[in-house]
């Protein structure tokens, strides 16, 4: 189940970045579940990762390898998270990296590993490593869609986005894929994302741009309030276009930053729209807050409330649940008489209670939509923050109850 049509745009190849997908049978025989990505020499790579303290072995290795060298290859397996596997799991991830490194003739620390799937089970390296050559044989700049399918787990559809813009006669491309449907919470949520561009960007600036964009996109989505052990989001700049993005060229810097934000937001929102069991895509906007922290605190209180989420699933305009979540969000000295809450274009709360003129039928009309916006106006300042979430359905419970079956 997913919200919206899920149609994908044309996925433009990115010069200097190739992807190859094959089947290793990690969990399901015959499933396309192993992806290798090859990065051209001279490219730069940046990454942001889960803030879960129990981070998986691949995340630990990615962080370590990125400190030593710019990567030449990324390798992704689905079906097994290789998390909670101790020293053995760490060595298993290194063994997979070594298999890729030996096949490509590069150093071990030039390979970054990624895993997603069930936590606490041994990584079947005996199936993954023999499949590496087939992934290499499949490498192509047009491999984005196969890779988008190859990195999915409980996702019901692939997630990808691509755009191009002209800068002084040169076409600059950004293309990306993501996966995730459950165990999604801000601070890098079970998600993986890979975005590549043919722009040239110095490594430190690339990291800064990725961190900023991820904070506004992937760190603003939540499905169930669980932060995964394996979340990773990577940005690769191959430089093949010959156009260099720098902060001194403010025009290009702004245009590229806007393009990156659009790609990242599309990929992040696609995860929400494909949330496990989701029937609603919900935008929660907190306006006129005193600062960003209290705006986000309020938005997440509503987004994580099981009572609000189940009301959304039932299309029940039970506005009292939203009001209660705002009240316990922890905003200091909140003036409840000053705030307003809107459900779509219908004001549901003002002057400390039910809005004058509000009708159940008006609320019902909004709650029956697939796309719903909840606006919370605190009237305390000029800060605004937005998060995106889903409802909580019976299917979510079934999917996660049967996940290891």
């Amino acid at each position: 189940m997913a919200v919206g049509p899920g149609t994908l745009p044309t996925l433009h190849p990115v010069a200097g970045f190739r992807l190859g997908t094959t089947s290793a049978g990690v969990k399901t025989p015959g499933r396309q579940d192993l992806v290798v990505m090859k990065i051209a020499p001279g490219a730069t790579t940046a990454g942001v990762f889960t803030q879960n303290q129990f981070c998986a072995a691949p995340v630990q290795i990615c962080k370590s390898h990125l400190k030593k060298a710019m990567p030449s290859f990324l390798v992704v397996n689905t079906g097994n998270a290789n998390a909670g596997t101790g020293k053995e799991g760490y060595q298993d991830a290194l063994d997979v990296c070594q298999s890729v490194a030996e096949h490509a003739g590069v150093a071990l620390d030039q390979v970054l590993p990624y895993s997603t799937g069930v936590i606490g089970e041994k990584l079947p390296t005996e199936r993954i490593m023999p499949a590496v050559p087939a992934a290499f044989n499949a490498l192509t700049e047009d491999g984005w869609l196969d890779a988008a399918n190859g990195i999915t787990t409980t996702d019901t559809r692939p997630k990808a986005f691509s755009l191009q813009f002209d800068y002084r006669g040169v076409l600059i491309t950004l293309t990306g894929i993501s996966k995730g449907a459950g165990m999604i919470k801000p601070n890098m949520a079970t998600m993986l994302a890979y975005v590549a561009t043919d722009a040239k960007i110095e490594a430190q600036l690339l990291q800064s741009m990725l961190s900023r964009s991820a904070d506004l996109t992937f760190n603003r989505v939540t499905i169930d309030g669980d932060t995964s052990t394996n979340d990773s989001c990577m940005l690769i700049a191959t430089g093949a276009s010959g156009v260099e993005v720098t902060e001194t060229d403010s025009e290009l810097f702004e245009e590229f930053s806007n393009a990156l934000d659009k790609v990242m937001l599309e990929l992040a929102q696609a995860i929400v729209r494909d949330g496990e069991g989701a029937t609603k895509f919900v935008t929660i906007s907190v306006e006129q807050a005193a600062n960003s922290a209290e705006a986000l605190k309020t938005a997440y209180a509503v987004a994580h409330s099981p009572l609000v989420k189940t009301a959304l699933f039932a299309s029940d305009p039970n506005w009292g649940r939203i009001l209660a979540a705002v009240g316990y969000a922890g905003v200091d000295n909140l003036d409840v008489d000053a705030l307003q809450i809107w459900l779509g274009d219908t004001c549901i709360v003002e002057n400390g209670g039910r809005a004058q003129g509000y009708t159940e039928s008006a609320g019902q009309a909004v709650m029956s939509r697939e796309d719903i916006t909840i606006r919370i106006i605190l009237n305390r300042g000029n800060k605004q923050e937005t998060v995106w979430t889903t409802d909580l359905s019976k299917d979510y419970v079934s999917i996660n109850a049967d996940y290891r079956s």
Side-chain angles (χ1 to χ4, degrees), residues 62-366:
C62 279
K63 291 179 177 180
S64 174
H65 284 190
L66 276 170
K67 292 177 181 177
K68 300 175 183 177
M70 281 292 110
S72 298
F73 290 90
L74 315 179
V75 56
V76 189
N77 76 266
T78 64
N80 184 299
N82 195 14
T85 48
K87 293 181 179 179
E88 183 182 17
Y90 193 92
Q91 186 58 53
D92 285 341
L94 283 178
D95 289 345
V96 172
C97 290
Q98 187 63 46
S99 178
V100 172
E102 290 178 357
H103 193 82
V106 300
L108 175 64
D109 55 19
Q110 288 180 271
V111 182
L112 305 184
Y114 307 85
S115 297
T116 182
V118 178
I119 294 172
E121 296 185 358
K122 184 185 184 308
L123 188 71
T125 56
E126 73 281 0
R127 296 199 287 275
I128 294 173
M129 293 164 65
V132 166
F136 270 79
N137 290 338
L139 283 169
T140 173
E141 288 184 356
D142 291 317
W144 287 99
L145 182 56
D146 286 341
N149 281 295
I151 65 173
T152 60
T153 50
T154 58
D155 310 59
T156 67
R157 58 196 187 191
K159 301 162 181 66
F161 192 73
S162 183
L163 63 77
Q164 295 177 314
F165 68 91
D166 182 274
Y167 183 73
R168 298 180 182 177
V170 179
L171 203 59
I172 298 175
T173 301
L174 296 92
T175 299
I177 57 176
S178 65
K179 66 81 52 181
M183 201 181 277
I184 300 294
K185 179 183 181 288
N187 298 330
M188 295 308 302
T190 296
M191 61 139 279
L192 300 174
Y194 305 92
V195 178
T197 178
D198 54 8
K200 181 179 180 181
I201 308 174
E202 181 270 330
Q204 188 173 352
L205 178 59
L206 189 72
Q207 182 65 56
S208 175
M209 296 179 80
L210 174 62
S211 297
R212 182 200 62 82
S213 189
D215 189 52
L216 297 174
T217 57
F218 285 106
N219 285 348
R220 295 290 186 270
V221 300
T222 180
I223 290 173
D224 47 22
D226 275 331
T227 297
S228 168
T229 54
N230 291 62
D231 311 327
S232 304
C233 178
M234 309 302 298
L235 176 60
I236 300 96
T238 69
S241 69
V243 175
E244 183 171 8
V245 177
T246 66
E247 290 182 286
T248 55
D249 185 343
S250 57
E251 179 187 352
L252 176 57
F253 182 80
E254 181 178 1
E255 190 162 8
F256 184 87
S257 296
N258 290 338
L260 176 62
D261 289 350
K262 182 171 178 56
V263 172
M264 296 275 282
L265 187 59
E266 290 283 348
L267 294 176
Q269 290 188 351
I271 290 174
V272 177
R273 290 187 177 277
D274 194 28
E276 289 172 345
T279 68
K280 305 288 175 68
F281 176 83
V282 186
T283 300
I284 302 176
S285 176
V286 178
E287 305 170 19
Q288 298 181 31
N291 52 61
S292 293
E294 73 174 29
L296 288 172
K297 188 158 48 175
T298 302
Y300 289 139
V302 176
H304 290 154
S305 166
L307 292 179
V308 171
K309 294 169 83 70
T310 49
L312 288 163
F313 171 64
S315 298
D316 176 14
N318 191 340
W319 57 270
R321 294 182 176 183
I322 302 173
L323 181 68
V326 173
Y328 66 61
V331 176
D332 293 335
N333 302 312
L334 177 65
D335 183 355
V336 296
D337 292 328
L339 70 83
Q340 291 182 321
I341 302 176
W342 291 72
L343 192 58
D345 54 2
T346 299
C347 184
I348 58 176
V349 172
E350 62 183 354
N351 300 322
R354 177 175 175 153
Q356 186 176 9
Y358 169 75
T359 64
E360 189 84 354
S361 60
Q364 180 72 63
V366 177

